[in-house]
Amino acid sequence: MLSAGLLSYAGFSALCLAMDRHHQEMLGRRPSPSRKVQLRVAGWALLGLSLWISVISAGWAMGLVRWTAVLMSSAVFLVWLLPYRPRWALVLAAVGVLLGLLAAVARW
């Protein structure tokens, strides 16, 4: 479940970066329209990958329940972190992608 949690946090962070306000806070500039689309696609892809990992590891019944819990916890953590340390949220998202994919590959 660690990999699903890290990937869902990174997915929510990418969706967050697709918004003008949060992109400005974290990176200091406004995103271009093509960058917004890329971030949205990446965010939804990471959320879908975390769903796939949860379902593969625990089956459809418990996988969806665990995925919902992982989504809630990662979203709460991101919402808590954004007002206080927006740069940390960005760094943790990058680390989350790397470690999440590494943990998923190590599982198989």
Side-chain angles (χ1 to χ4, degrees), residues 60-77:
W60 276 103
M62 284 307 296
L64 288 175
V65 171
R66 289 180 182 179
W67 183 65
T68 304
V70 163
L71 282 179
M72 288 187 295
S73 61
S74 62
V76 165
F77 184 67

Side-chain angles (χ1 to χ4, degrees), residues 29-79:
R29 56 182 155 64
R30 290 204 172 289
S32 65
S34 63
R35 175 62 57 122
K36 285 182 185 181
V37 171
Q38 291 170 352
L39 287 168
R40 285 186 189 126
V41 168
W44 284 111
L46 287 168
L47 289 176
L49 184 60
S50 72
L51 170 63
W52 181 70
I53 289 171
S54 295
V55 168
I56 291 296
S57 68
W60 276 103
M62 284 307 296
L64 288 175
V65 171
R66 289 180 182 179
W67 183 65
T68 304
V70 163
L71 282 179
M72 288 187 295
S73 61
S74 62
V76 165
F77 184 67
L78 180 63
V79 168

